[in-house]
Amino acid sequence: LYHHYLPKFDLAQIRKSAVELKQKMEALNGAVLPERRKDKNPEFQSRRAQLSQSVAALDSVVQSADEKAIKEAVEKVHSDYQALEHIF
């Protein structure tokens, strides 16, 4: 999404990706860390919640034609994903 569709602002693909991200976020929200990663759980919970909020915001804003707002939302999802990924 961030690397492929945002640079060209391919709105159709951004919208499609937002739907897919929302579904994947639902699965991630139900994930439980394995016992060996329990020490990461507080940070995981916090960063997962941030990512969930940014995915929901993207899902809302992507229905508009506001290019600036959509770009900001995609960038937020991207940075929140990287923050979550970084804890591992």
Side-chain angles (χ1 to χ4, degrees), residues 11-46:
L11 187 54
Q13 289 293 0
I14 291 170
R15 285 178 174 158
K16 181 179 176 187
S17 293
V19 170
E20 293 170 2
L21 282 173
K22 186 177 176 186
Q23 293 169 346
K24 290 178 181 183
M25 195 68 234
E26 289 173 9
L28 182 58
N29 281 334
V32 177
L33 291 181
E35 192 62 38
R36 64 186 172 88
R37 295 289 188 175
K38 289 293 182 186
D39 62 316
K40 304 276 186 184
N41 198 49
E43 191 174 7
F44 173 73
Q45 295 287 336
S46 174

Side-chain angles (χ1 to χ4, degrees):
L1 170 63
Y2 178 81
H3 297 287
H4 298 283
Y5 306 132
L6 190 61
K8 298 181 231 172
F9 195 69
D10 185 340
L11 187 54
Q13 289 293 0
I14 291 170
R15 285 178 174 158
K16 181 179 176 187
S17 293
V19 170
E20 293 170 2
L21 282 173
K22 186 177 176 186
Q23 293 169 346
K24 290 178 181 183
M25 195 68 234
E26 289 173 9
L28 182 58
N29 281 334
V32 177
L33 291 181
E35 192 62 38
R36 64 186 172 88
R37 295 289 188 175
K38 289 293 182 186
D39 62 316
K40 304 276 186 184
N41 198 49
E43 191 174 7
F44 173 73
Q45 295 287 336
S46 174
R47 294 193 182 189
R48 179 176 64 181
Q50 286 179 305
L51 178 60
S52 186
Q53 289 175 348
S54 62
V55 168
L58 174 62
D59 187 54
S60 291
V61 77
V62 81
Q63 299 310 316
S64 75
D66 186 341
E67 184 173 342
K68 183 176 184 270
I70 292 169
K71 284 182 175 182
E72 288 173 355
V74 170
E75 289 171 3
K76 177 80 169 121
V77 167
H78 183 67
S79 64
D80 287 349
Y81 172 78
Q82 287 181 320
L84 177 63
E85 179 184 46
H86 184 69
I87 66 172
F88 298 105

